[in-house]
Amino acid sequence: MASKRIYKELTECTTSPPPDMKVCLWNESDLHTWKVALAGPASSVYEGGNYAVLVTLPTDYPFKPPTVRILTRIYHPNVTNDNLGNICLSILKPENWKPATKVSAVLQAVRQLLVEPQPDDPLEARIADEYRNDRNEFEKNARQYVTRYARGPPVFGDAPPAAEKSK
Amino acid sequence: MDDSDGAEERFTELAALEAIFPEIKKHDDPSAVSFSLDLPVHPSNPITVTYPAASGTAELTTATLTGSDEEAPGAMDSQVLAHLPAVNLRLSLPEGYPAERPPSVTISTTPPWLPLETTKKLEEEGPRMWEEMGHNMVAFAYIDHVQQAAENVFGLINDDGTLGVDPRHMISILDYDVRARRETFERETFDCGVCLEPKKGAVCHRMLECGHVFCTACLQDFYKTAITEGDLAVVRCLTPNCAKDRAAAQAEAGSGKRRRVRAFLSPSELLQMGLSQEIVSRYVTLKYKTELESDKNTIYCPRSWCDGAARSKKHKKPEGLELVEVSDDEEAEKSDEKDDKGKKTKKSEDPSERLAICEDCGFAFCSRCFQSWHGEFFLCIPRRDSDEITPEEQASIDYIAHHTTSCPTCGVPSQKTRGCNHMICFRCQTHFCYLCAAWLPPASPFEHYNERPDGSRTGCYMRLWELENGDGNDVGYGFLGGRANNRRRGRNQAVAVPRVREVVNVDDEDGPARPEGDDQQQQNAEVAVALEAPLVLRIGGQAPPRDQQPRGRGRGQGAGRPLATPAPPAADQAARGGRGGAIGRGTGGDFRNGGRRIPVRMRGRLDDALHPADAAWVRNFVEMALNDEENSEDSDDEEMPIVAPLVH
């Protein structure tokens, strides 16, 4: 059942992708690892950035939630400020996951997180504080990251990084 | 026109009708062409059906509680139904129809929920239409007419939009509706949100609470995994934000009663989805367990092998596969909480409420002190968690553990202030050994310390007089009273602060004014205060006459004096003087007359291991040594007689 559903979702995501995104498989033989190129949403501080997003679907997907990581460095309260790019998204927490949630909905939630960070549920407490208390500084830093890391086409690397769950 | 023509026309009409309504049933009737047909009654909008108490068919204008098509669980039963039992139409086209004779019509429903008047009116309309149509073939027009009438339920709907039906038919009408809905559902096609496949309704399940539809295969897979893994929180609708959206919708609707949206699934619904009995009963059990564990007020059975929960009004133990629901009503819960708080603050709680009965093993116990139920009129001390215990109390508890032995029958901790190790429980008169808490036969209590007739010995052999000066602080911690082993009992490291009774010495004829002994008794007095306990123990057999004179201060007092509040061991100076000796029942017992004290303080089984001859020598030696000491310290008449080995 899983691969049938994944295949359907993939078709849906490639033919009519969510806004600002391009979706494909990491390699054709593995339905469970997706590459998503996400363009920083217009009018957000991430505008102009190109982000490499890795979506990994577990073997018991859709019963267990997928994991999503932003491989491109990004300055964001809800994304770890490291090479892993783990992301904190409530719908992806195991206790909140609903099997009827589709990957496209997850991706849209990720995009929405760039538009509207959630400083109350942060992975990077310092950035969250800055976001709340010194928005100008935050925006400056975020833009700097965009220029420094996210200008070119999204870089995925050769092989999908091993899935690591940090939180 | 002749008969055959008539018959011809009738059969032509029937054939046409059969083409339109393939479900027509023909009846064998020699005198007429007769057939029947079920016409479904599906109101264009679901209709609220009420059951006015007035039975019969005339009174239909009864006011109902519902104006909307919302289900209103009120004083009167009402349901929103989409399907009413079909109307059965039986038409007979007699000879001479259509030219000369009208068709005859019989209308019925099962159950007969249609009022008699309505059926009669409908039946009469057949011939009337035949008349109006100029004695022509009328069957199809008539059937069509009834069908249309059925759409607005034959005009039976009241002004307030409800339909009144005789309460006698409630069950079968409901049943019909359920079946009809199911059939419609099964014919439909749904996109399962999990496997994203279109599925026939027959292999789907509509969630009872929210109406979302999934295929049963996905539901079974998902819930089975979740329940097996014990992940109960996800046993709910699989649609994202389902409960949240429903709650929002409800808040928006602002319905008067703010019922909490129920997110979890009922066991019966899981069974409906086709989950196995085994999985569902696991679900029920786990659910109940979680519920108990999340309630701070849950009381558990103190029996360590049981661990059942006490029966409670709030959480009912599930019976079979039915999960007894905790009231969903927030308000009810709030008032419950208030009640609880009120009870906690109120000192005058009903003592009978302290009775708790274990659901699993049926053990009746006190929810306050966690001892077996002692009746309402018994003052007991609440069990507390270890973190609530002050250092002083902890010291008391430690002291009890170190320096008391519990009666093997009633469990009351007892402390020996002086004398031999044959004890009699003040509370229950059990004879026991202070060293090992063994029962002693009242008839021959000292056998325990001697060689038995068969030559065997206990671990207490020759230790009758161990701890002669009492079991107290100055005696040291060498001997961990019998309770030491029991200390771990109880959940959450909760510690029962037990009742301790004072010990009365057996062998007190010489009891008084030994400085050492006195000092020790004072110590003990303090201890007893610290243990906040009434006093208990009496030791020994019958008192030899000469012991009856109380000697020394404090003698004869204090037995059974309860002390109400805990006090640190060194604090209560006043109580000290008052209690003094803690002696009183001068009981020496015959054994005393033997005068054998064997204050051998050797531990363990050394005695057992010694050769009798060596043992005798050791005893002699020790006794002499002790004797010297006593002679120097103790001016009383009391000198230890030099003693031969204990009586055989």
Side-chain angles (χ1 to χ4, degrees):
Chain A
M1 192 246 316
S3 50
K4 219 169 165 187
R5 159 158 172 170
I6 295 173
Y7 189 75
K8 273 198 166 171
E9 287 204 59
L10 183 68
T11 319
E12 194 185 307
C13 282
T14 41
T15 50
S16 54
D20 297 333
M21 280 179 242
K22 263 173 82 180
V23 178
C24 63
L25 287 181
W26 199 286
N27 69 60
E28 289 304 315
S29 61
D30 179 12
L31 271 176
H32 290 263
T33 312
W34 294 23
K35 271 179 180 179
V36 180
L38 167 63
S43 78
S44 76
V45 284
Y46 306 103
E47 187 174 359
N50 292 305
Y51 295 93
V53 177
L54 167 70
V55 178
T56 316
L57 307 176
T59 40
D60 36 6
Y61 179 82
F63 289 174
K64 293 287 179 314
T67 50
V68 179
R69 288 162 56 188
I70 301 187
L71 301 178
T72 311
R73 293 289 294 268
I74 184 168
Y75 194 81
H76 192 287
N78 308 99
V79 184
T80 54
N81 190 11
D82 55 19
N83 292 324
L84 296 174
N86 283 311
I87 192 169
C88 172
L89 206 54
S90 72
I91 56 165
L92 293 184
K93 290 181 180 157
E95 66 273 20
N96 293 338
W97 172 250
K98 297 281 198 141
T101 314
K102 292 189 195 173
V103 178
S104 71
V106 171
L107 290 174
Q108 286 182 43
V110 172
R111 181 180 174 276
Q112 189 55 34
L113 204 59
L114 299 196
V115 176
E116 199 181 343
Q118 304 288 325
D120 292 333
D121 193 12
L123 276 179
E124 293 292 340
R126 193 193 59 76
I127 301 180
D129 282 346
E130 191 179 270
Y131 180 81
R132 270 190 297 241
N133 303 325
D134 191 350
R135 187 65 62 90
N136 286 335
E137 183 66 22
F138 166 80
E139 290 185 352
K140 203 183 92 196
N141 285 328
R143 289 213 172 84
Q144 253 175 27
Y145 265 61
V146 174
T147 350
R148 204 184 313 163
Y149 298 106
R151 271 303 173 205
V155 182
F156 285 92
D158 296 334
E164 258 173 273
K165 270 193 121 183
S166 81
K167 221 182 165 186
Chain B
M1 55 175 74
D2 58 29
D3 271 9
S4 66
D5 267 359
E8 196 70 10
E9 267 186 290
R10 285 184 283 161
F11 287 119
T12 318
E13 186 168 23
L14 176 58
L17 287 173
E18 273 183 304
I20 303 168
F21 305 104
E23 67 273 25
I24 271 185
K25 267 185 253 154
K26 286 182 277 193
H27 299 283
D28 273 340
D29 188 344
S31 63
V33 174
S34 174
F35 54 90
S36 66
L37 171 69
D38 279 335
L39 295 178
V41 184
H42 297 169
S44 29
N45 292 315
I47 184 172
T48 308
V49 176
T50 59
Y51 305 94
S55 65
T57 51
E59 191 57 46
L60 284 175
T61 50
T62 320
T64 58
L65 292 174
T66 42
S68 66
D69 50 6
E70 262 275 323
E71 193 176 330
M76 192 179 291
D77 281 320
S78 73
Q79 288 104 17
V80 181
L81 302 184
H83 309 269
L84 290 162
V87 169
N88 182 271
L89 202 66
R90 184 176 172 141
L91 277 163
S92 288
L93 310 180
E95 258 177 71
Y97 169 89
E100 287 149 27
R101 295 178 61 188
S104 84
V105 187
T106 325
I107 280 183
S108 63
T109 53
T110 325
W113 60 275
L114 264 191
L116 215 60
E117 296 165 10
T118 314
T119 46
K120 205 163 251 161
K121 212 172 96 199
L122 282 173
E123 282 169 2
E124 282 162 5
E125 264 165 9
R128 189 173 56 76
M129 282 176 78
W130 171 78
E131 204 80 51
E132 277 170 9
M133 291 178 73
H135 299 204
N136 214 329
M137 289 189 286
V138 76
F140 176 75
Y142 178 70
I143 293 171
D144 188 50
H145 168 77
V146 176
Q147 262 181 331
Q148 280 178 23
E151 243 165 66
N152 65 1
V153 202
F154 312 105
L156 291 171
I157 298 170
N158 299 324
D159 295 340
D160 57 4
T162 63
L163 172 72
V165 170
D166 192 314
R168 280 178 298 177
H169 307 317
M170 182 165 82
I171 301 292
S172 32
I173 282 193
L174 262 181
D175 189 50
Y176 181 87
D177 184 63
V178 170
R179 261 187 296 130
R181 276 182 206 238
R182 179 78 212 165
E183 275 162 28
T184 329
F185 176 77
E186 282 178 2
R187 281 195 297 271
E188 273 177 84
T189 307
F190 300 92
D191 280 324
C192 170
V194 178
C195 59
L196 307 180
E197 302 275 324
K199 295 273 176 120
K200 273 275 170 241
V203 293
C204 285
H205 174 80
R206 187 192 292 277
M207 306 304 256
L208 297 181
E209 201 72 16
C210 58
H212 291 119
V213 176
F214 297 95
C215 76
T216 44
C218 287
L219 291 174
Q220 280 178 24
D221 262 11
F222 182 73
Y223 294 132
K224 196 176 156 195
T225 321
I227 295 171
T228 312
E229 289 172 0
D231 195 1
L232 298 189
V234 301
V235 182
R236 59 188 168 180
C237 174
L238 306 184
T239 309
N241 294 328
C242 175
K244 216 192 274 171
D245 292 349
R246 272 187 292 148
Q250 208 173 55
E252 216 164 277
S255 57
K257 283 172 233 152
R258 296 200 70 222
R259 281 179 62 213
R260 221 185 310 164
V261 174
R262 204 185 77 168
F264 70 89
L265 303 179
S266 72
S268 63
E269 185 166 5
L270 291 173
L271 285 174
Q272 272 178 42
M273 291 171 197
L275 271 99
S276 74
Q277 187 102 353
E278 198 187 335
I279 293 285
V280 177
S281 68
R282 178 176 160 81
Y283 174 68
V284 172
T285 322
L286 286 181
K287 193 104 192 144
Y288 177 63
K289 253 196 174 154
T290 347
E291 190 188 303
L292 287 175
E293 278 161 16
S294 60
D295 187 341
K296 289 192 300 286
N297 296 328
T298 301
I299 296 163
Y300 289 95
C301 176
R303 286 175 164 173
S304 52
W305 49 265
C306 171
D307 276 3
R311 288 175 202 163
S312 100
K313 276 176 227 146
K314 207 157 150 203
H315 310 288
K316 295 266 167 38
K317 191 179 186 182
E319 280 170 21
L321 290 181
E322 225 17 79
L323 200 59
V324 186
E325 245 177 80
V326 196
S327 82
D328 265 357
D329 217 316
E330 252 176 312
E331 279 185 335
E333 209 154 276
K334 258 184 216 157
S335 67
D336 267 3
E337 268 166 37
K338 256 182 231 158
D339 270 13
D340 281 354
K341 273 176 201 156
K343 259 174 223 154
K344 262 176 217 158
T345 48
K346 244 192 281 165
K347 287 281 176 207
S348 58
E349 60 162 346
D350 181 358
S352 66
E353 275 175 20
R354 286 190 222 135
L355 170 62
I357 296 171
C358 173
E359 237 168 27
D360 291 346
C361 70
F363 181 51
F365 59 97
C366 169
S367 60
R368 212 171 131 180
C369 68
F370 287 85
Q371 306 289 325
S372 64
W373 181 237
H374 42 56
E376 291 172 32
F377 308 106
F378 185 85
L379 181 66
C380 61
I381 294 147
R383 187 177 77 158
R384 281 170 296 181
D385 286 339
S386 48
D387 52 358
E388 288 176 49
I389 291 175
T390 64
E392 284 84 8
E393 286 167 334
Q394 189 55 51
S396 299
I397 290 160
D398 288 346
Y399 191 94
I400 292 169
H402 283 300
H403 296 297
T404 69
T405 302
S406 293
C407 166
T409 303
C410 66
V412 66
S414 61
Q415 184 184 30
K416 185 170 92 162
T417 51
R418 38 201 308 271
C420 75
N421 286 321
H422 168 220
M423 314 288 281
I424 295 176
C425 177
F426 186 78
R427 193 200 263 178
C428 68
Q429 318 305 323
T430 300
H431 294 241
F432 65 97
C433 168
Y434 191 76
L435 295 179
C436 67
W439 264 290
L440 301 182
S444 55
F446 301 106
E447 206 167 74
H448 185 67
Y449 307 94
N450 295 337
E451 211 170 71
R452 293 196 199 130
D454 63 358
S456 65
R457 295 165 177 180
T458 65
C460 300
Y461 174 67
M462 287 293 171
R463 294 169 69 191
L464 178 62
W465 289 99
E466 218 167 88
L467 298 172
E468 186 202 351
N469 289 331
D471 183 6
N473 271 341
D474 52 341
V475 176
Y477 289 82
F479 170 61
L480 303 176
R483 290 176 62 74
N485 303 330
N486 298 335
R487 285 174 72 199
R488 293 275 161 76
R489 296 183 59 215
R491 107 185 31 237
N492 302 333
Q493 292 145 347
V495 181
V497 180
R499 301 159 56 84
V500 172
R501 308 232 176 154
E502 214 165 276
V503 170
V504 179
N505 198 328
V506 176
D507 147 59
D508 62 340
E509 79 234 22
D510 40 50
R514 284 197 273 165
E516 198 191 348
D518 200 43
D519 179 46
Q520 178 161 344
Q521 282 164 2
Q522 285 185 356
Q523 292 267 2
N524 290 339
E526 288 158 16
V527 164
V529 170
L531 300 179
E532 57 172 276
L535 318 171
V536 180
L537 243 224
R538 181 174 52 141
I539 308 180
Q542 305 82 14
R546 66 177 172 121
D547 290 335
Q548 294 300 42
Q549 312 278 336
R551 275 192 261 166
R553 67 192 179 102
R555 251 209 182 209
Q557 307 183 354
R561 183 160 78 96
L563 296 163
T565 47
D572 199 339
Q573 299 290 337
R576 212 182 184 191
R579 192 181 153 254
I583 315 175
R585 311 282 162 113
T587 51
D590 331 330
F591 64 95
R592 276 211 75 264
N593 299 335
R596 318 293 134 92
R597 323 180 147 201
I598 314 292
V600 176
R601 300 217 173 189
M602 276 187 258
R603 278 289 131 76
R605 299 175 172 256
L606 181 56
D607 285 343
D608 293 353
L610 286 175
H611 189 274
D614 293 345
W617 181 86
V618 169
R619 276 193 301 274
N620 250 330
F621 174 81
V622 174
E623 275 161 23
M624 299 231 280
L626 285 171
N627 234 3
D628 281 348
E629 199 178 276
E630 285 216 348
N631 281 339
S632 63
E633 272 184 25
D634 196 344
S635 56
D636 209 354
D637 54 337
E638 217 51 288
E639 5 39 62
M640 290 244 143
I642 298 187
V643 169
L646 203 57
V647 209
H648 287 297

